[in-house]
Amino acid sequence: MRNQRTGGERANASLRRGVNPRRACEHDDDARGTRHGGILGQHPRFCQTRRAGGAFALHASVRYFEVCSRVGGALPKTSARPIPGVAIVPIGDYYGSVDEAVKRDDIRGVYGKDIGPDFARALGRSLAEVLRCATPVEPVNVVVGHDMRLSGPVLAEALSQGLTEGGCRPVQMGLAGTELVGFLPAHYSDVIDGGVMITASHNPPEENGFKFFGRGGQPLSLAPLDAPSGEEGLGRMASSIKKSRIPERLKWEDFAPDYIQTVLQKGELDFERAVSGASEPMRIAVEAGNGMGGRILREFARIAPQFEWSFSNETPDGRFPRVMPNPLSDEYQRMVAELVRRTGSHVGMCFDGDADRVALADENGEMLSPPLLAALIGGRLREKLGPGAKTAFNLECSWVVPDSLGDRASVTGDGPAVMVPVGYGRIKAIMRRNPEIAFGAEHSGHYMFREFYTADSGMLAGLMVLELAAELHARGKTLSSELEEMRRRYHGSGEVNFQLPPERPVEHIIAEAVARFKGEAQSMYAVAADGVRLTETYPPSFELAATDVRVEAQDWWFCMRESGTEGDLCRLYVESDGDRGLMERKLKALVELVGPEFRTRNRTRGMPQDVRGGVKGDDGERR
């Protein structure tokens, strides 16, 4: 993996092969007749990588557009000593910020520094290249939404200009959440061909970014990138006419109520039945953190008058005057807990900025960790869909998931709980290959539902737990009573991070940790190209798709892995079954093995929890 060239290195190689950026910009796309032409779309290497996945295609193409848009103007200043008779053209200076902004699954950066209107416009042209190839019938409709960040409207307008120039038809949604944007190409795949959500989720207010959806609402890296065989004759003309009738600007009422109704339908949620027999209404507290979650959940509250609602900080405000809305941060969770206790609510909820992740609290204000939510939701789906509905959980998830749903010793495909690699993009790919998996869960709070277009939906996850809480309330029971045994039994460290120096590569540290505790191991899991496999050795006999490993002893386990995008960052999680002191001793031993001097301070982005609900980790999402 380390020997593979990055998208940026491949793009540089293309430049070294003699591709002239200025001539690339002048190239005409005869098949489409668009103003800016094919750029990399006509380049054979681009066509190959486009079929493999959209991320590199966008990355490399944006870099070309950055060069195209700036070459010929004043070159940036350089401190390099001039060579007599040789003109120094620091091409890399033109597109260096693109490498900083383009991540593994999305794009994000500081507005005005890493990204801005020019970047968004170039991105729109690049995205149009990808989506046009995947769409059999024109116009190519692309929905564009943004959250409450102040730079959102400007970026949305610039992106739309680029999409238009690239031959697509942007459909502006205005204020929206990530799930709302993904919902439209999923639910209306015959007339909506893709989508872009402009958001930086729970990152600081000066940042912003882009999340992409391809055909069928799938992440761009998983969506089909070759156009299917479309209808012919009158059917093709009818499809084109229907697509052209989608308004170029949608109103909130055009999609938000539709989305909520579809969530309820796909989740088979029946709140009238759930509250039947209750002696008093169930009270729900919603701490929205000035993100998009409050506005979206209001759509559900309007059709759920059987509940009593208390909303706090529900007006979207990109300045985030109270808190950064991260469902797994300590400060945000304290606000939820205080709201629950102050209002005497039976359940508390909060969402992140773009409302695709959720966290819940019980009637005491104690948070439910992501693994607890996964165990509850997995059980609910088996009740609704039948005992064959499997749950996928990642390497870093608590034993509470397989123990609640089946057998921790049978997690590689045969049992009701299936262990999968970290990274919700990978989980979605596995779910698409294995239709028996009805639900996928990440330790960082991402929840994916087969029946809801395999979408990542914090809203559906939250409403499923609300339905369970309503049933318990109708029987005179509390949510905490359902969780008491789970919380008592499992003790986790949370995710602990180490910033390693070059002389201490992550894979060497992982091999040392495996060797140290191999004598206690009853099971060991590593990541292959097709998912997680059992192994007796590390490195295993099969080719690794990631360096991640999970080692399970009789009553404790640890997971150690390399960050998805920060190669020098090592992530560690330790859990024990029954004895908290055991977890603490093993954690101390592993920290000593890695080097306590390399341990990072806690961050505020995505900190995961142990099963008892306390925020303890350094970080949460695989980046």
Side-chain angles (χ1 to χ4, degrees):
M1 292 176 64
R2 285 179 172 272
N3 293 329
Q4 294 178 350
R5 289 191 295 180
T6 66
E9 291 167 335
R10 294 190 186 100
N12 282 331
S14 296
L15 283 171
R16 289 194 293 271
R17 285 196 298 273
V19 178
N20 186 315
R22 185 187 296 275
R23 294 187 64 185
C25 276
E26 295 168 352
H27 177 74
D28 288 328
D29 185 344
D30 295 331
R32 298 282 182 173
T34 55
R35 184 189 307 175
H36 286 271
I39 310 300
L40 293 180
Q42 299 300 314
H43 197 281
R45 179 174 293 275
F46 177 75
C47 293
Q48 293 169 6
T49 54
R50 179 167 54 200
R51 295 188 183 95
F56 165 68
L58 283 176
H59 186 182
S61 188
V62 170
R63 294 179 72 170
Y64 267 96
F65 276 119
E66 288 287 301
V67 174
C68 292
S69 63
R70 296 179 60 183
V71 75
L75 294 174
K77 295 180 180 179
T78 174
S79 59
R81 179 176 297 176
I83 302 174
V86 177
I88 296 177
V89 182
I91 293 294
D93 288 1
Y94 289 123
Y95 57 74
S97 63
V98 178
D99 291 332
E100 296 296 321
V102 179
K103 312 300 181 183
R104 185 192 61 191
D105 299 316
D106 57 17
I107 292 175
R108 61 183 182 269
V110 176
Y111 180 76
K113 175 179 176 289
D114 304 314
I115 60 176
D118 290 343
F119 182 102
R121 187 172 176 178
L123 178 63
R125 295 194 294 262
S126 303
L127 180 62
E129 289 283 337
V130 176
L131 294 180
R132 282 166 46 211
C133 290
T135 306
V137 178
E138 294 187 339
V140 182
N141 285 333
V142 185
V143 290
V144 178
H146 61 83
D147 66 13
M148 60 283 136
R149 291 170 184 270
L150 303 184
S151 57
V154 175
L155 292 175
E157 192 63 36
L159 180 81
S160 296
Q161 291 174 6
L163 286 168
T164 301
E165 293 165 358
C168 289
R169 182 173 179 266
V171 177
Q172 292 274 13
M173 297 175 65
L175 270 179
T178 293
E179 291 185 33
L180 293 168
V181 174
F183 165 71
L184 290 180
H187 195 61
Y188 296 100
S189 58
D190 56 336
V191 292
I192 304 293
D193 304 298
V196 184
M197 175 63 184
I198 299 173
T199 179
S201 187
H202 53 267
N203 287 6
E206 64 270 16
E207 297 188 19
N208 217 328
F210 306 86
K211 295 182 179 180
F212 306 95
F213 298 93
R215 197 165 78 238
Q218 292 297 312
L220 200 60
S221 59
L222 300 178
L225 291 176
D226 288 319
S229 56
E231 297 177 281
E232 298 298 332
L234 290 177
R236 186 178 183 88
M237 287 189 288
S239 294
S240 181
I241 293 170
K242 287 193 293 184
K243 294 178 75 172
S244 66
R245 290 194 173 184
I246 301 298
E248 293 185 354
R249 291 188 181 270
L250 297 175
K251 302 185 296 293
W252 178 263
E253 295 76 18
D254 292 331
F255 54 83
D258 187 10
Y259 159 77
I260 288 294
Q261 290 289 353
T262 305
V263 167
L264 297 176
Q265 175 192 353
K266 297 289 187 180
E268 298 185 9
L269 300 171
D270 186 348
F271 286 95
E272 287 292 340
R273 177 197 54 79
V275 302
S276 179
S279 59
E280 63 172 346
M282 187 172 79
R283 294 181 293 277
I284 303 172
V286 181
E287 175 51 70
N290 299 114
M292 292 303 303
R295 188 178 188 190
I296 298 171
L297 198 59
R298 270 291 183 188
E299 294 298 325
F300 173 65
R302 288 191 181 98
I303 60 174
Q306 61 268 48
F307 300 125
E308 292 184 359
W309 297 86
S310 297
F311 282 81
S312 174
N313 299 307
E314 68 173 300
T315 302
D317 187 342
R319 298 167 297 179
F320 304 115
R322 289 294 308 277
V323 68
M324 288 306 304
N326 174 9
L328 300 181
S329 75
D330 201 5
E331 182 182 6
Y332 198 29
Q333 290 191 358
R334 278 197 300 268
M335 291 173 64
V336 179
E338 291 169 1
L339 182 63
V340 167
R341 290 191 286 264
R342 186 170 69 249
T343 59
S345 294
H346 300 96
V347 183
M349 302 180 72
C350 66
F351 294 86
D352 64 348
D354 57 332
D356 66 345
R357 286 195 303 148
V358 67
L360 288 96
D362 64 22
E363 75 283 358
N364 299 314
E366 187 171 357
M367 303 303 297
L368 282 66
S369 70
L372 274 181
L373 280 176
L376 293 177
I377 295 168
R380 296 291 288 178
L381 287 173
R382 289 176 69 180
E383 294 174 6
K384 293 173 180 290
L385 304 176
K390 295 185 177 184
T391 292
F393 68 102
N394 72 10
L395 278 167
E396 205 164 314
C397 263
S398 165
W399 261 334
V400 71
V401 178
D403 287 354
S404 299
L405 302 177
D407 181 5
R408 70 170 69 164
S410 181
V411 295
T412 54
D414 296 332
V418 181
M419 189 183 295
V420 293
V422 173
Y424 64 91
R426 291 174 174 173
I427 297 180
K428 288 187 177 184
I430 291 172
M431 290 177 70
R432 293 177 70 188
R433 295 198 303 265
N434 185 353
E436 293 183 332
I437 300 176
F439 174 56
E442 277 265 277
H443 70 286
S444 56
H446 290 280
Y447 308 101
M448 291 134 277
F449 296 86
R450 181 190 67 196
E451 305 301 313
F452 192 56
Y453 316 106
T454 321
D456 180 13
S457 180
M459 186 63 64
L460 180 51
L463 293 182
M464 290 198 74
V465 177
L466 278 189
E467 184 188 48
L468 170 62
E471 291 179 3
L472 292 170
H473 178 70
R475 301 200 304 265
K477 300 180 68 175
T478 63
L479 189 54
S480 64
S481 66
E482 190 79 358
L483 304 170
E484 184 176 356
E485 173 60 21
M486 299 179 188
R487 285 171 164 165
R488 181 196 61 79
R489 181 174 172 182
Y490 302 98
H491 306 273
S493 64
E495 198 170 68
V496 180
N497 291 322
F498 302 87
Q499 193 79 45
L500 299 177
E503 63 271 17
R504 293 279 283 165
V506 176
E507 58 266 30
H508 291 180
I509 297 292
I510 293 175
E512 291 176 23
V514 170
R516 169 76 177 275
F517 294 101
K518 192 173 186 301
E520 298 183 46
Q522 294 186 341
S523 303
M524 184 158 55
Y525 303 91
V527 179
D530 59 351
V532 171
R533 296 187 191 176
L534 270 169
T535 180
E536 295 183 357
T537 61
Y538 190 89
S541 57
F542 53 84
E543 184 177 353
L544 287 172
T547 58
D548 309 4
V549 69
R550 174 163 168 151
V551 177
E552 294 187 352
Q554 180 177 352
D555 49 7
W556 75 282
W557 61 269
F558 76 89
C559 175
M560 190 174 284
R561 62 185 182 88
E562 184 176 7
S563 166
T565 58
E566 300 172 78
D568 56 353
L569 201 65
C570 176
R571 306 195 192 277
L572 169 67
Y573 190 97
V574 184
E575 183 182 70
S576 63
D577 183 351
D579 181 1
R580 184 174 189 84
L582 175 63
M583 179 275 292
E584 293 171 345
R585 292 191 297 274
K586 296 302 183 182
L587 174 63
K588 181 179 179 181
L590 282 160
V591 169
E592 289 294 332
L593 183 148
V594 179
E597 67 274 21
F598 304 130
R599 185 170 179 176
T600 64
R601 296 180 61 188
N602 280 7
R603 305 174 184 178
T604 59
R605 290 198 279 184
M607 296 182 293
Q609 308 161 301
D610 70 8
V611 173
R612 297 177 63 83
V615 177
K616 294 179 177 297
D618 296 322
D619 211 334
E621 296 177 300
R622 185 186 182 96
R623 292 190 298 275

